Amino acid sequence: MKLSYPSERPKLKPALRQTLAMRAEMACTEVATHGASASVFALRKRAKECRGLLHLLRSGWEDSTQWNARLRDAAAKLAPARDAEVMLNTFDSLTARRRAPAEFDSLREVLLDEIEIADAATDPDSIAQFADIMAEFARAARSLKMADKTAPIVWHNLARTWTKGQRACQEAAQAGEDATAFHDWRKWLKRHWYQARFFKPIDRPALRAHVAQVDALGKTLGAHNDLDVLHMYLQALCPNDPALARLAPDLLRARRGLAQQALDAAATLYAAPNPAEGWAASWQLWRAG
């Protein structure tokens, strides 16, 4: 089931209540069905979706900040093994372009060891604990109360997420080789992506294109982040390995290329006005229809 505004077209508060609870319950169902074999990718995705929508309730639902932190921390406990596998996949993709990828086997062994260490360090109860937190969150979401009228808060936070992403993009453009700014930009863009997917039904033709545009940019920033994480990890664990000295120029060149690709795409994306006002009007028309 895709992340989406409920087809019954309720007001914003019941729509968010229903959607947040259902996404959390989907995670619980995944664990109930597959137990310890549940997809970590799917579970983390449900948490990210909920956190993206929670930002729409900022300063409106008193518990939103607390829940955002709890979901983040619960998902992080599932992350180590998955993150190690992503590093290995990024490494393999990068070295496959070389004529003799075997010359980097010493680095690959370090990554394989990291996967084993991460697997061994993963708390066997973390998936069950994650499901318990998601179940608790689902109950809380179904009864959430707002401190004020929901619509103004939601549209304000939608505009804020867009503006924060736009500013983060500008900072990334000035950051040079500092990948931290790109990481911060990616976080705000991903939040907007979840929010845009939620509102997609209010104007499908326009938002389908917008969601695809944001998704493509997010994937570029994700690939940039994967290279940065890999570089930092290898620098920390094997800084004197000659294989790293041979690989680093390729890695940094690929990262620069992705950075420029992201900035070029962003120039088109952020040339459009802040979508909050237009989406608010479209939402009213859609509900009236």
Side-chain angles (χ1 to χ4, degrees), residues 13-14 20 64 71 97 101 106 117 134 138 144 156 186 209 219 226 229 249 253 274-275:
K13 182 164 68 175
L20 286 167
S64 62
L71 297 184
R97 306 169 194 170
S106 60
I117 293 170
M134 291 298 268
L144 72 86
H156 168 77
R186 177 173 174 253
K219 288 176 179 175
D226 291 343
V229 170
R253 189 181 306 112
N274 193 312

Side-chain angles (χ1 to χ4, degrees), residues 108-119:
R108 196 172 194 276
E109 287 298 322
V110 171
L111 296 175
L112 289 172
D113 288 345
E114 176 61 17
I115 291 176
E116 290 186 10
I117 293 170
D119 282 337

